[in-house]
Amino acid sequence: MLPPELPPLPALTRAESELIDRYLDAVDLLGRINPARDGDTYRGLRAAQALVGKAAALRDALELMHRRGETELHSTTLARALRVLDGERRTARVSLPPPTGG
């Protein structure tokens, strides 16, 4: 049985696509660094080191949008793109997990 087909990505400018990609890169690393999640310090350290470069790439994507005159973020469209790219699951790893019964 084939998995369900994902909805198509909304139409984005190249700069918006770059913003979404760089944002999710940073979110994935923040999820690996999250001290409220299980893991080891080395994994967190490596993710923190990589985050520096990803944050710069995210800044560059936003700077490019601004220079090109794309001064507004179209949140509805960008949120749809994030959902198609599994953004809800990926961003959930950055938040606190539910409390345990201890």
Side-chain angles (χ1 to χ4, degrees):
M1 178 175 187
L2 294 173
E5 191 169 317
L6 292 174
L9 273 172
L12 301 173
T13 67
R14 187 178 311 166
E16 286 174 327
S17 294
E18 186 72 12
L19 169 63
I20 293 292
D21 289 343
R22 298 302 69 84
Y23 173 77
L24 288 174
D25 287 345
V27 162
D28 289 339
L29 291 171
L30 284 169
R32 288 174 46 196
I33 297 167
N34 187 346
R37 301 272 177 190
D38 288 335
D40 58 56
T41 56
Y42 185 72
R43 184 181 73 177
L45 172 63
R46 297 290 302 198
Q49 290 168 336
L51 184 59
V52 175
K54 298 300 182 182
L58 178 57
R59 177 206 58 215
D60 294 346
L62 283 162
E63 185 178 31
L64 175 63
M65 286 181 72
H66 186 73
R67 275 197 327 260
R68 292 180 60 188
E70 296 179 49
T71 56
E72 291 186 41
L73 295 175
H74 302 284
S75 61
T76 303
T77 303
L78 296 173
R80 242 179 40 226
L82 286 168
R83 284 187 181 90
V84 170
L85 296 171
D86 202 21
E88 288 176 311
R89 179 190 61 81
R90 294 162 79 175
T91 57
R93 292 179 32 210
V94 176
S95 66
L96 289 173
T100 59

